[in-house]
Amino acid sequence: MKDNTQDTMKFPIPADDGNETREVLLEVCKALEEKGYNPINQIVGYLISADPAYITSHNNARNLIRKLERDDILEELVGYYLQGVK
């Protein structure tokens, strides 16, 4: 039996243009800023813990972000970051 522990696994993600994810993140960011929170810290807390309490309920932000899968959010953020680095 061949040991595949050194092989890189592919992580398939369905094609999505990210528009909905991007729009929700921008709305959530705006709501967090309006309430005086640091949006980066709060969103990272949410992504790490899956606890929606990191996101304010102001302007329905908590419900909006819960409609998204966390892996979709991560894909959007990493994709945006890497585009800026190229």
Side-chain angles (χ1 to χ4, degrees):
M1 179 183 264
K2 184 179 176 191
D3 181 16
N4 292 329
T5 58
Q6 297 299 317
D7 294 342
T8 301
M9 295 184 63
K10 235 180 183 177
F11 187 75
I13 298 177
D16 179 2
D17 63 359
N19 285 335
E20 178 187 8
T21 303
R22 187 174 305 116
E23 290 173 17
V24 167
L25 283 171
L26 291 172
E27 286 295 317
V28 168
C29 180
K30 182 179 175 187
L32 287 164
E33 287 175 337
E34 286 176 0
K35 293 304 281 183
Y37 295 107
N38 179 317
I40 295 171
N41 292 349
Q42 297 307 113
I43 292 170
V44 168
Y46 170 70
L47 291 172
I48 290 172
S49 70
D51 184 352
Y54 281 97
I55 307 300
T56 182
S57 59
H58 177 66
N59 286 345
N60 203 34
R62 188 176 295 159
N63 288 331
L64 286 173
I65 204 162
R66 291 177 78 187
K67 291 180 181 179
L68 302 174
E69 296 292 329
R70 287 184 302 148
D71 60 333
D72 290 339
I73 297 170
L74 287 169
E75 178 187 7
E76 178 67 24
L77 295 173
V78 171
Y80 182 82
Y81 176 81
L82 291 178
Q83 280 181 326
V85 178
K86 290 182 181 179

